[in-house]
Amino acid sequence: MDRQQSALGHRRAFMRAVTGVAAVAVGGGLTRVLAQTSPTLTGTGDCRDEPGVQLLIDFSQGLPVGVTISELTPPPGWNLFPHPTLPTSLFIPPSWIGVAAWADSYSRSGRPNWTDVRPQVPQLNLLRVMSPDEEIAFEYIVGSILGQPLSPEQVAQVGKQSLLGEDPEVESVCTYVDMNPLSPSFLEADRFKRSVHITSGFAVGLESSFMPATTVTIQNFFGPRRDFEEIAREIFLRFVVQFMGGGGSEGGGGDGGGGGDDDDDDGDDDG
């Protein structure tokens, strides 16, 4: 699969992960959204309670958000952060910090034990970018969690703890789970102290008597609640657009966040 196709695949993954939750949150407001409900979909809360959360959902569905894709290309001053082992790179704001990490073990509650030294065969691969004060962060996690297959809700807890720490005390804004056997997916938005956190993605269980596992793709968005809508519009949407394959800036490449395909079983692309 070439990079453009791969990037488009991750765009579709993001769209599928948030489309269902909008159907739950918006309720009777939009026929277009209601048409996308499914019998395997369940959800709680109202994502509109946090406008930045709803903004990301609306953009993923192609609804008007006051900005076009062409206006969301990274500004010329943004810098390229390439992941050393994933075919994934992002243009990020100046002075932001890019982190590559890997995990092959977990805490008792399921938090990945991230290390900057790559294990020989990592279970999870992490791309994290943070603002200099570490108050804003985005994560992309991909790989396979070994052991008995996990539900989307269980994988959501793994993703949530990656940034928030072990067993974080959160206030739920809205949740979404789709148990469609072809693409079990989740989205959970929470308030954490004075910030908002979103985790979304896929969890495909692989039954095997030899090596059962759960293939996962997770995206995390985190930022101060008071500014979360502005951060979602000015920063996070620009990251999402790069996963569409149109994230180049002046003097830079155009395939931005072209990560591996959604069916990558362990995220290991060294070979």
Side-chain angles (χ1 to χ4, degrees):
M1 177 180 292
D2 64 30
R3 289 191 175 186
Q4 183 174 7
Q5 289 174 319
S6 181
L8 289 172
H10 285 293
R11 160 65 168 175
R12 290 192 294 269
F14 182 87
M15 291 179 67
R16 293 197 302 270
V18 299
T19 293
V21 70
V24 175
V26 175
L30 296 172
T31 302
R32 176 177 178 178
V33 174
L34 288 174
Q36 296 171 352
T37 60
S38 85
T40 56
L41 174 71
T42 59
T44 63
D46 190 336
C47 295
R48 294 174 300 180
D49 289 344
E50 290 295 342
V53 176
Q54 191 64 50
L55 173 71
L56 290 170
I57 292 170
D58 289 346
F59 178 80
S60 75
Q61 297 180 93
L63 298 175
V65 296
V67 63
T68 65
I69 290 177
S70 62
E71 294 171 324
L72 291 172
T73 54
W78 282 30
N79 303 314
L80 183 66
F81 173 68
H83 194 281
T85 59
L86 292 175
T88 304
S89 59
L90 285 177
F91 283 96
I92 63 178
S95 73
W96 273 46
I97 304 161
V99 175
W102 301 267
D104 62 0
S105 64
Y106 308 85
S107 72
R108 182 172 299 179
S109 64
R111 184 188 187 190
N113 294 323
W114 296 117
T115 175
D116 59 1
V117 178
R118 184 182 184 273
Q120 184 173 2
V121 184
Q123 294 187 35
L124 295 180
N125 303 261
L126 168 71
L127 182 153
R128 176 189 293 161
V129 294
M130 302 178 294
S131 61
D133 57 12
E134 300 186 7
E135 289 190 355
I136 309 170
F138 168 79
E139 289 188 331
Y140 172 72
I141 301 169
V142 64
S144 289
I145 301 174
L146 301 183
Q148 294 304 311
L150 303 177
S151 68
E153 295 96 330
Q154 290 172 314
V155 174
Q157 294 309 304
V158 173
K160 190 176 301 186
Q161 292 182 93
S162 176
L163 272 174
L164 303 186
E166 197 162 7
D167 288 327
E169 295 184 6
V170 300
E171 176 190 354
S172 178
V173 176
C174 56
T175 66
Y176 147 76
V177 175
D178 192 337
M179 293 305 298
N180 183 326
L182 297 179
S183 56
S185 53
F186 62 88
L187 183 148
E188 295 189 6
D190 299 287
R191 300 184 185 102
F192 176 73
K193 298 180 180 180
R194 297 182 178 180
S195 297
V196 172
H197 181 272
I198 304 170
T199 188
S200 65
F202 295 87
V204 181
L206 305 173
E207 298 281 357
S208 170
S209 58
F210 174 67
M211 187 177 291
T214 308
T215 297
V216 303
T217 301
I218 302 169
Q219 304 89 26
N220 290 324
F221 304 83
F222 178 77
R225 185 183 180 193
R226 67 181 182 275
D227 301 319
F228 194 79
E229 183 176 10
E230 180 181 357
I231 294 166
R233 187 180 302 276
E234 297 297 327
I235 304 293
F236 294 150
L237 285 184
R238 296 184 192 275
F239 292 160
V240 172
V241 165
Q242 291 182 66
F243 277 84
M244 297 169 62
S249 64
E250 291 182 13
D255 54 352
D261 69 48
D262 297 333
D263 296 323
D264 187 0
D265 58 358
D266 63 5
D268 184 1
D269 295 286
D270 285 351

